[in-house]
Amino acid sequence: MTQPHPASAAQASKSLSLTNPSEAPAASDDFSDILDVPSLRDAMWAAVGDSYDERDVRSAVVAVLKDAQKTGRAAVAARLDANPRNALPVTTGYTWLTDQLVKLTFEIVTERVHRNPNPTEGERLTVLAVGGYGRGEMAPFSDVDLLFLTPYKITAWAESVIESMLYILWDLKLKVGHSSRTVKDCLRLGADDFTIRTAMLEHRFLVGYEPLAAELDTKLWNTLFKGTEVEFVEAKLAERDARHVKQGQRYMVEPNVKEGKGGLRDLQSLFWIAKYIHHTDDLGKLVRAGVFRAEEFATFVKAENFLWAVRCHLHLASGRATEQLTFDMQVEVADRMGYTDKGGRRGVEIFMQDFFRHATSVGDLTRIFLTSLEASQQKDPPLLLRLFKRVPKTRDGYEVVNNRLAITDDAAFLADKMNLLRIFEEALRTGLLIHANAMRLISANLHLIDKDMREDKEAQRIFIDLLLKHGNPERALRRMNELGVLSAFIPEFEPIVAMMQFNMYHHYTVDEHTIQCIWHLSEIENGHLEEDLPVASSILKHGINRKVLYVALLLHDIGKGRDEDHSVLGAKIARKVAPRLGLNKQECATVEWLVRYHLLMSDMAQKRDIADPRTVRDFAKAVQTRERLDLLCVLTVCDIRGVGPGTWNNWKAVLIRALYRQTRRALEDGMEALNRENRGTEAKKALRDALQGWDAKDLRIETARHYPPYWQGLHVTAHKVFANLLRDIGDNEIRIDIHPDEDRDATRVCFALSDHPGIFSRLAGAVALVGANVVDARTFTSKDGFATAAFWIQDSDGSPYEDARIPRLRDMIAKTLRGDIVAREAIKPRDKMKKRERAFNVPTSITFDNEGSEIYTIIEVDTRDRPGLLFDLTRTLANANVYIASAVIATYGEQVVDTFYVKDMFGLKFHSESKQKSLETKLRTAISEGAARAKE
């Protein structure tokens, strides 16, 4: 009976003396729990009886094998249930079970359906497993790749056998990939196609005429593989690079277990290359050959086993060959693998941190192996480095090997532990990548980075210089992080390494987000973003304490993952870390303040109405100095941009710029610069200038008909639109103006109509019906009884509406406002959550603030987002006779913060605690009922 061969690291590790052998997962050589093959064979032949009719035989065989397959798959799945983090008995179990089904199918087809007791030489037939199946690694729904091998052109008998076998295997619902070839075909096709060559590299004899399989094996190695090692390696690495470009970075929060960076395909690429070059399935030989250290290989074994366990659980949980760890599957797989909530973190977040750390291990070993290949000239150095005409000059103790920075003498290097930091400085200075052997030496000696070194002034200088002096600090930080140096030098950083935040807002792990933020800061400093970020670029150009800014960015999220506000905890950590990095007392205090309040500017800009003078006044009082304002503004920009692609947009840019400029004016000219009356006078003057051609009477009517909040809440461009909409408007007329607001990446919808209770809710319903996302909205009542409302909306992709879609938008809004469509009923089919988004739970928080505005009570609703939420909330407030003046909507993935500026029906704030509680109860009921409806 042919067993799956030991292609995996875990299987190979059984023959190694590992640092901790107990951590190596055990393969299973005993499959008696899966199938009793002799009994199954007897049952199959008994079911067939004396029949020779192919249909009858096929029907009988499929019935017996299907039952056995079901029982066997359940037994293999039970192995995973019993030990949910040990994949090897499972992958070998599925392979063995598939082997038996294929062999028994071959047996019944060749001995009953197409019996040929005396085949000619040309009628010999061999069945081989190839690809992952040939390697002996199968997840529950892996493909079954078969090669039907014949000595010469396929005969009619062999063709009939293959066809009959495939029908049975397809009836068993196996996903069969098959090819029928001669040995000569294999050599010819393999020479032209590296995918075919790779599949045949992992061929494994299953059943049939075995000498033919041996002939193929000999000819592949002697004719096809021999002497082509370099081109094979280059092809596999090119495939890997293309795959990584397609799949994205290692720390993407919905990774592909199979194809992603640091995933199983990267592991398999190493196996393929190792086998091609070293002619072995036993990767343990690579340890004995000195390619890997035993402890490195043990790490590799654990990573492989973990990733295979994840893949098997993923298949079983979804019931199909799913490879992407989507958010909903992450929760399911984490639960299956026994992860539980701990220390303020969800089990799924701990699971994903383990996942990313294992993916990093795969990357580390890949680097080591490729360096070994370069040393033996099996792989050419990177193309860009090959083009260098001149090798950079290095300082004493270093040399250039294969265009990488290498260490000349390991013992001398380690004699001065400062070299563990200096090498990163030298790499930035020379522009060279660090040689993998140097990286291995660093990783193996992290214990040298001790308390004395952390407090050494020279170490502090080197680290700060890495941030400030070379123009690309993220390159050093990323490599230091991957090698463990960053966590060794700043131990407080270690908990956030590979830490995933389980939400749809953050695209990266916390450590990668931090490094992305620092990259954005260096990009601004290098003058690459002056057009996109004029304010931040100007601040940096005019001078700022760069050391404070870089250290604050490095530490701003260091408090995450604990059962405490990460800003408060982060500030406490920064108080300890900043002095260790050589900052003086005043700099330390500023870093601590920035970490504590790093979300303040973002929250004020996105969750409050910055047209309200009180908002700017309160922010200015919190910031206190121009220096802090400048630092916080740049930090906020980098923090938002570092969240992920597309998170920063013109809308956020306009808000941050406006808040910065108004606050700077208040700090420089005094708070009276924010006076409402001054703003109103300036706005009216600007409108008069914009309405050229209007007569004096019409201008007087327009400037006199609005209350003060109208003049502070809108830009002159909107004032001009409303002036035209209101001019000669009839009592029952509804006028709408829809135009793109390019400065804000949104479409502005302006309404003018007779005022009545609940107007805001009706408008919100009309907008929701067209599938628009509201990012900002405000309504005003004129002295002559009209409502003016401005809604800024985006489509489902977060973009302004295209011109071609605006007529339909206008039509749907008009119908809803006229009452032709009842928004409450029409919105129900649209108000649904996508399956992959249902795993997210956002606790609802509702607060009432009577201090943040002079005129209004601010109700802030922080909850789970969904399409009909704003309509539900505004309808609830309208039914409670609450007047909504404006709404500010801030969305963070699946979380939304809807902020309403409101008054009661008498124009007063909601000071009464009983009224606040009553309103909160009604809002919570609307939220919970809507959420239940969205999940139906």
Side-chain angles (χ1 to χ4, degrees), residues 167-207:
Y167 277 124
I168 292 173
L169 296 174
W170 287 332
D171 285 348
L172 293 173
K173 306 299 182 195
L174 293 175
K175 194 177 173 185
V176 181
H178 64 94
S179 56
S180 307
R181 295 179 186 136
T182 64
V183 172
K184 197 176 282 185
D185 289 337
C186 291
L187 298 174
R188 177 176 53 81
L189 293 168
D192 298 332
D193 189 320
F194 282 102
T195 303
I196 294 173
R197 193 187 304 192
T198 306
M200 289 189 298
L201 177 67
E202 299 185 301
H203 68 272
R204 178 169 59 90
F205 172 74
L206 286 177
V207 68

Side-chain angles (χ1 to χ4, degrees), residues 292-525:
F292 297 124
R293 294 189 177 106
E295 65 271 18
E296 291 168 341
F297 191 67
T299 302
F300 202 24
V301 169
K302 288 168 67 178
E304 181 202 29
N305 186 55
F306 181 87
L307 293 172
W308 268 109
V310 171
R311 189 181 182 208
C312 289
H313 283 294
L314 193 52
H315 279 210
L316 290 171
S318 62
R320 57 195 175 89
T322 305
E323 311 300 348
Q324 186 118 21
L325 258 179
T326 53
F327 292 125
D328 54 328
M329 284 292 107
Q330 288 172 18
V331 176
E332 176 76 20
V333 173
D335 185 54
R336 282 169 167 266
M337 292 182 73
Y339 286 88
T340 54
D341 298 354
K342 195 174 180 182
R345 295 180 66 201
R346 291 185 63 178
V348 64
E349 293 177 323
I350 300 168
F351 159 63
M352 290 305 294
Q353 185 169 28
D354 283 353
F355 178 91
F356 289 124
R357 287 187 170 184
H358 283 302
T360 302
S361 299
V362 173
D364 292 343
L365 246 75
T366 302
R367 265 198 311 272
I368 292 166
F369 186 57
L370 294 184
T371 303
S372 169
L373 292 181
E374 283 178 1
S376 62
Q377 296 302 307
Q378 298 287 6
K379 175 186 177 291
D380 288 337
L383 177 61
L384 283 175
L385 300 177
R386 273 183 260 154
L387 297 176
F388 278 176
K389 296 280 192 296
R390 182 177 61 84
V391 175
K393 190 173 181 183
T394 60
R395 290 184 173 137
D396 290 345
Y398 301 103
E399 61 182 336
V400 179
V401 176
N402 285 330
N403 286 304
R404 283 187 168 81
L405 183 67
I407 295 164
T408 53
D409 183 329
D410 289 0
F413 179 85
L414 295 174
D416 182 356
K417 54 192 176 186
M418 293 300 160
N419 287 330
L420 292 169
L421 287 179
R422 285 194 190 107
I423 189 170
F424 296 99
E425 189 174 35
E426 182 69 0
L428 287 185
R429 189 188 70 80
T430 59
L432 291 168
L433 298 173
I434 299 175
H435 196 280
N437 287 344
M439 290 193 275
R440 292 170 79 184
L441 187 69
I442 294 166
S443 295
N445 291 280
L446 292 175
H447 61 278
L448 296 176
I449 303 177
D450 54 12
K451 186 172 183 288
D452 289 343
M453 180 174 169
R454 291 181 204 111
E455 294 177 355
D456 190 287
K457 283 189 166 24
E458 173 65 4
Q460 294 167 0
R461 179 201 67 74
I462 296 168
F463 185 80
I464 292 298
D465 281 357
L466 286 172
L467 294 178
L468 303 182
K469 277 202 171 175
H470 301 281
N472 51 352
E474 81 291 340
R475 200 178 118 201
L477 288 175
R478 184 170 284 111
R479 186 64 77 224
M480 290 171 77
N481 189 36
E482 289 176 353
L483 296 178
V485 174
L486 192 54
S487 294
F489 192 66
I490 306 175
E492 295 85 353
F493 196 84
E494 200 278 335
I496 64 169
V497 173
M499 178 188 285
M500 180 229 189
Q501 300 162 89
F502 190 67
N503 57 53
M504 289 166 57
Y505 180 60
H506 292 93
H507 294 231
Y508 305 113
T509 53
V510 180
D511 55 333
E512 179 61 19
H513 161 70
T514 300
I515 293 169
Q516 289 279 339
C517 290
I518 285 173
W519 175 72
H520 283 288
L521 176 54
S522 69
E523 286 288 282
I524 301 169
E525 273 204 303

Side-chain angles (χ1 to χ4, degrees), residues 659-671:
L659 181 57
Y660 172 81
R661 285 169 177 154
Q662 290 180 53
T663 308
R664 178 176 162 180
R665 185 180 172 194
L667 290 172
E668 291 177 346
D669 301 340
M671 296 296 179

Side-chain angles (χ1 to χ4, degrees), residues 709 760 777-780 788 856 883-887 900-903:
F760 197 105
R778 52 201 66 220
T779 58
F780 306 94
T788 51
Y856 305 106
Y883 169 72
I884 304 170
S886 63
F900 301 100
Y901 283 67
V902 303
K903 293 191 280 193

